[in-house]
Every structure is written in structure tokens, then in C-alpha cells.
Amino acid sequence: MRTQFVRRTAAAFAGVALAAAGLGVAGALQANAATTQVAAVSTPAAAKSITIKAAGTYVPLWAKVPLTGKTVGIAKNTVVQVQRLQNGKWVNFPATTKVTSKGTYSVWVASGRAGVNQFRVVAAKTASPSVSITYVK
């Protein structure tokens, strides 16, 4: 009788140990699943931006003024379109270039319109701030 008691007690302890081990494994699996799920979340893409700098701000009519800048999040060979502010609206100016492998661009503008001309560049639906160039007679 004593032997049966010892066997049953040992079996009961073994069952409890297996159950606890099973919970531990299940807990570990849940922890792995949570870790995997968090690892699957990607970081957001960098916001697109473009800068502009004019080499001159007060120049004679028809002088060529280089516009240069850098881009972030805009692919190589993307077209960069120069625009000029006319009557309160941005209008495409006849000057384009492409983004280089280093994320930069360079283009020049020349205008016969005397006075302040505001220019900006647009690439990949992203516009730069404007720069003012004053053309004088």
C-alpha cells in the first residue's frame, strides 16, 4: 500500500511538473511571437525634402544664376522642375535637371523680367522654399 502511495505521489508531482513546463513553453512561445511581431514593424520612411540656394540675388537682366540644393528621400534621376511665382501662382519655368546619385541637383535660370523674381524647385511632389532674385536693367 505504501508503494502505491509513493507511486501516485510521484506521478502527481510529475504531472504538475509537466504542466508547469508546458506553461513555460507556451509562455516562451508567446514571448517569441510578441518579439517577432515587434520586429516585423518597420520604421517610417524619411520625409521627402528639397533645399534651394541661389548663387546671386541681385543681377543684370538675362544673367545666368545657378540654383543648387540637396534632396532627402527623392530617388536618383528624378526630374527637378524650376518654377517662378507669377500673379500669385507657381508656373513651370523652362529649366529642369535631375537628382544626382548624391541627392543633389544644379540648374541655372536667366530672366528678362526686371524686378524681383521668386523661384522654387519641385521634385517628386515636393517643393523647396522659394528664393528671390532681383534682375535689374
Side-chain angles (χ1 to χ4, degrees):
M1 184 102 140
R2 184 167 193 287
T3 308
Q4 282 184 342
F5 177 75
V6 171
R7 286 184 189 162
R8 286 184 186 164
T9 305
F13 279 118
V16 170
L18 286 174
L23 288 176
V25 169
L29 289 174
Q30 288 174 349
N32 284 344
T35 304
T36 304
Q37 193 173 23
V38 171
V41 175
S42 62
T43 58
K48 294 179 184 178
S49 67
I50 188 166
T51 64
I52 188 170
K53 182 179 178 184
T57 56
Y58 197 79
V59 297
L61 287 176
W62 297 110
K64 292 180 180 180
V65 179
L67 301 177
T68 58
K70 295 182 179 182
T71 65
V72 174
I74 299 175
K76 173 186 171 185
N77 289 328
T78 301
V79 173
V80 177
Q81 172 69 57
V82 177
Q83 293 183 332
R84 179 169 57 185
L85 189 63
Q86 291 179 202
N87 299 321
K89 294 182 181 180
W90 289 105
V91 178
N92 285 348
F93 195 77
T96 61
T97 189
K98 291 185 178 183
V99 175
T100 68
S101 61
K102 294 182 180 180
T104 61
Y105 71 91
S106 178
V107 64
W108 58 267
V109 293
S111 178
R113 184 174 291 180
V116 177
N117 287 252
Q118 285 190 324
F119 292 98
R120 74 177 186 177
V121 292
V122 177
K125 298 181 182 179
T126 304
S128 73
S130 65
V131 293
S132 296
I133 302 173
T134 304
Y135 284 91
V136 294
K137 292 181 183 179

